[in-house]
Amino acid sequence: AVPVTLTFNGGALKIDPAPDYLGIFYLTVRVSDGNIATDRTFKVEVYNKPPVLALIPDQRMHYKMEPERTIAIPADPQASDTLDYTVELVGSVVPEPELTISGNELTINPAENFLGRFAIRLTASDGDLSDTKMFTVTTYNTAPDLQPICDRAIAWNDTPYELTLHADEPDNEPLTYTAEVEEYLLPYQLDQQYNFSELESGWNFNLIGLNEK
């Protein structure tokens, strides 16, 4: 027998399958005036709707200013069952980030000083059916911007010469400056001496089709 309970409330029929029942059955409903009756048969399917995970946007985290991030797992508004969530790292990442789930929240904790990108696979399951979504996490560090420095001519008797440097740090991290002496930069010196420029096209440019000048 199909584990289904049928009850009437006036002209309303209540169909109540057993909690774990999934399948198809047929019902025949009869209406009678005491002398003659009419029957109608119809099919009923009891199914389990799979959970649906909403897309999770790719995440960007500063490697120092945001050592971990907790995001809410998008709830399925049509889910009637309690969902279990699991998370796993896709591929190999060294060192591995720490991924934890508490309730419907996912916490991402990349390894200290890790810079790069990794992929995460998140699964929601009702015990029978499941849905999976993937997204990436990028940990980044924005490079400081050193303002251009004009060439300097320093008199031999005006040393040491102090030059104030200007740099912007978008991430508000402390900056460290270093410098080194380049004794001989031939292309740079030649350009400074002769002021090279690109030759404009003229009557003798590519005259015989060999890109000659």
Side-chain angles (χ1 to χ4, degrees):
V2 178
V4 178
T5 301
L6 305 175
T7 56
F8 281 95
N9 182 10
L13 170 61
K14 182 179 180 180
I15 306 170
D16 187 14
D20 295 329
Y21 175 79
L22 295 174
I24 296 174
F25 58 90
Y26 292 85
L27 283 180
T28 298
V29 177
R30 172 173 297 175
V31 60
S32 172
D33 61 5
N35 295 307
I36 193 170
T38 300
D39 294 345
R40 292 287 186 267
T41 299
F42 61 97
K43 181 177 72 172
V44 177
E45 179 180 2
V46 182
Y47 67 95
N48 182 18
K49 189 172 185 179
V52 177
L53 269 177
L55 289 174
I56 299 177
D58 293 337
Q59 308 290 310
R60 283 177 54 84
M61 304 169 56
H62 191 274
Y63 83 114
K64 278 190 177 179
M65 299 176 64
E66 190 179 10
E68 71 174 28
R69 175 177 295 181
T70 298
I71 59 176
I73 300 173
D76 182 359
Q78 299 180 344
S80 57
D81 298 318
T82 300
L83 299 180
D84 293 323
Y85 300 102
T86 56
V87 63
E88 60 181 327
L89 191 65
V90 179
S92 176
V93 178
V94 180
E96 289 191 356
E98 182 180 349
L99 308 174
T100 56
I101 290 179
S102 178
N104 65 338
E105 291 185 334
L106 167 63
T107 298
I108 305 167
N109 186 0
E112 185 177 4
N113 293 329
F114 174 82
L115 288 170
R117 183 171 64 176
F118 53 88
I120 292 176
R121 180 185 293 115
L122 181 66
T123 300
S125 173
D126 64 5
D128 296 311
L129 301 174
S130 63
D131 187 27
T132 297
K133 292 292 188 295
M134 289 178 54
F135 63 97
T136 62
V137 178
T138 301
T139 57
Y140 69 94
N141 181 25
T142 306
D145 181 22
L146 181 61
Q147 299 299 314
I149 303 173
C150 298
D151 293 340
R152 295 293 197 276
I154 305 174
W156 68 271
N157 59 349
D158 190 22
T159 59
Y161 180 85
E162 183 172 301
L163 175 64
T164 301
L165 303 175
H166 299 279
D168 297 321
E169 169 47 47
D171 301 330
N172 295 319
E173 294 185 280
L175 296 177
T176 300
Y177 295 90
T178 60
E180 59 181 312
V181 176
E182 300 287 349
E183 293 186 1
Y184 193 62
L185 295 177
L186 181 59
Y188 176 78
Q189 290 184 349
L190 289 175
D191 181 62
Q192 294 298 304
Q193 181 178 355
Y194 296 106
N195 192 25
F196 291 135
S197 62
E198 184 177 356
L199 181 66
E200 296 183 358
S201 300
W203 67 270
N204 60 344
F205 179 80
N206 198 25
L207 185 63
I208 60 175
L210 297 177
N211 292 322
E212 76 283 355
K213 297 181 181 180

